[in-house]
Amino acid sequence: MTSSSDPLGHRFADAALLEQALTHRSAGRPNNERLEFLGDALLNLIVAEYIYEHYPKASEGEMTRLRAALVSGAALAELAREEAVGDLIRLGAGELKTGGFRRESILADTLEALVAAIYLDAGWTVCRQLMRELFASRVAEAEGRVAKDPKTRLQELLQAKGFVLPIYELISTSGDDHSKMFEVSCVIEPFGLMARGHGSSRRAAEQSAAEQVFDQAQAAIAARRKAHKA
């Protein structure tokens, strides 16, 4: 847990840099706004690298969703609370009266500022290692918290109930080479269901069609199960 002498597990050599990282703009200058900017970029890179290593089979879209979940304002504020960062923040009188040290945005911004300050104080290797340690369990657990794409959800729904997989067929393409649009159908034969999706790539059109037919498939499966029980 964070303490005044080693926030996020780092002992600062530059006390002035630490003070700046913990100073909200309401408390005057120098404050941590510029450090927030740098810390945001560092966290995105470090977490993206970790996800890339930890989930070698994840698609670009899956990795993007994982990163967004891990470095969202809410996620960073939760981490800041666990590390007791709120106890260290320097706030102006107005923010103190309104409980600014508990505010999600202030907690998340201060955490980002601390990341940047660690990087400036000790360098890339130390900063990267500390962040990987802080995010290790979160990266390991994140996959189950992130919504799967529509095609995967539809496939898993049908497989779980013992039905054949959907059939995707390209219906048409239109537009110039640099701005093509695709139309794709998604057919679920056991229920006679069909939906059409459009997108700037065939994959995007398939995702759109799967999303449209998912609720219908779920309802059809429930109706069939109910009929069998009757």
Side-chain angles (χ1 to χ4, degrees):
M1 179 177 288
T2 285
S3 72
S4 58
S5 60
D6 61 343
L8 305 187
H10 175 67
R11 180 65 60 90
F12 275 82
D14 185 345
L17 186 60
L18 170 59
E19 184 175 352
Q20 181 179 351
L22 295 171
T23 302
H24 185 256
R25 64 177 178 272
S26 64
R29 291 180 177 275
N31 58 51
N32 62 16
E33 285 187 312
R34 283 173 53 83
L35 289 172
E36 291 168 25
F37 168 80
L38 179 57
D40 174 70
L42 287 165
L43 274 178
N44 271 277
L45 174 58
I46 293 168
V47 171
E49 179 194 46
Y50 206 170
I51 290 169
Y52 183 85
E53 294 173 2
H54 197 82
Y55 296 105
K57 295 182 179 180
S59 68
E60 179 188 5
E62 289 167 338
M63 289 191 293
T64 298
R65 288 192 292 274
L66 284 169
R67 183 181 60 183
L70 287 164
V71 300
S72 68
L76 294 183
E78 179 184 350
L79 178 55
R81 290 188 192 98
E82 290 180 10
E83 295 294 315
V85 169
D87 297 341
L88 309 178
I89 302 173
R90 295 180 65 240
L91 298 166
E95 288 290 354
L96 278 172
K97 288 180 181 178
T98 58
F101 58 90
R102 292 190 298 268
R103 189 170 303 156
E104 189 171 277
S105 60
I106 291 178
L107 287 168
D109 289 346
T110 304
L111 184 76
E112 290 175 340
L114 280 169
V115 173
I118 291 170
Y119 166 73
L120 295 174
D121 189 65
W124 165 252
T125 302
V126 170
C127 180
R128 175 178 176 270
Q129 184 58 37
L130 282 173
M131 292 310 105
R132 287 171 72 94
E133 290 171 4
L134 277 176
F135 279 87
S137 62
R138 286 169 166 76
V139 171
E141 297 167 359
E143 188 178 39
R145 301 201 307 264
V146 179
K148 295 176 181 176
D149 64 80
K151 282 186 68 176
T152 301
R153 290 172 60 218
L154 180 60
Q155 178 177 314
E156 291 181 351
L157 172 69
L158 295 172
Q159 284 180 323
K161 304 303 179 183
F163 295 106
V164 297
L165 296 180
I167 299 170
Y168 297 93
E169 292 186 353
L170 178 64
I171 297 173
S172 66
T173 61
S174 59
D176 300 328
D177 288 343
H178 65 281
S179 59
K180 276 190 179 298
M181 288 297 295
F182 295 77
E183 182 179 16
V184 171
S185 66
C186 175
V187 177
I188 304 177
E189 291 184 334
F191 306 112
L193 297 175
M194 193 271 282
R196 295 186 177 190
H198 299 81
S200 57
S201 68
R202 180 165 181 167
R203 177 176 171 77
E206 289 175 352
Q207 296 285 10
S208 173
E211 187 170 23
Q212 292 180 56
V213 82
F214 181 85
D215 288 342
Q216 299 174 54
Q218 208 168 29
I221 289 172
R224 183 169 293 193
R225 186 167 60 245
K226 185 176 181 180
H228 284 168
K229 289 181 179 179

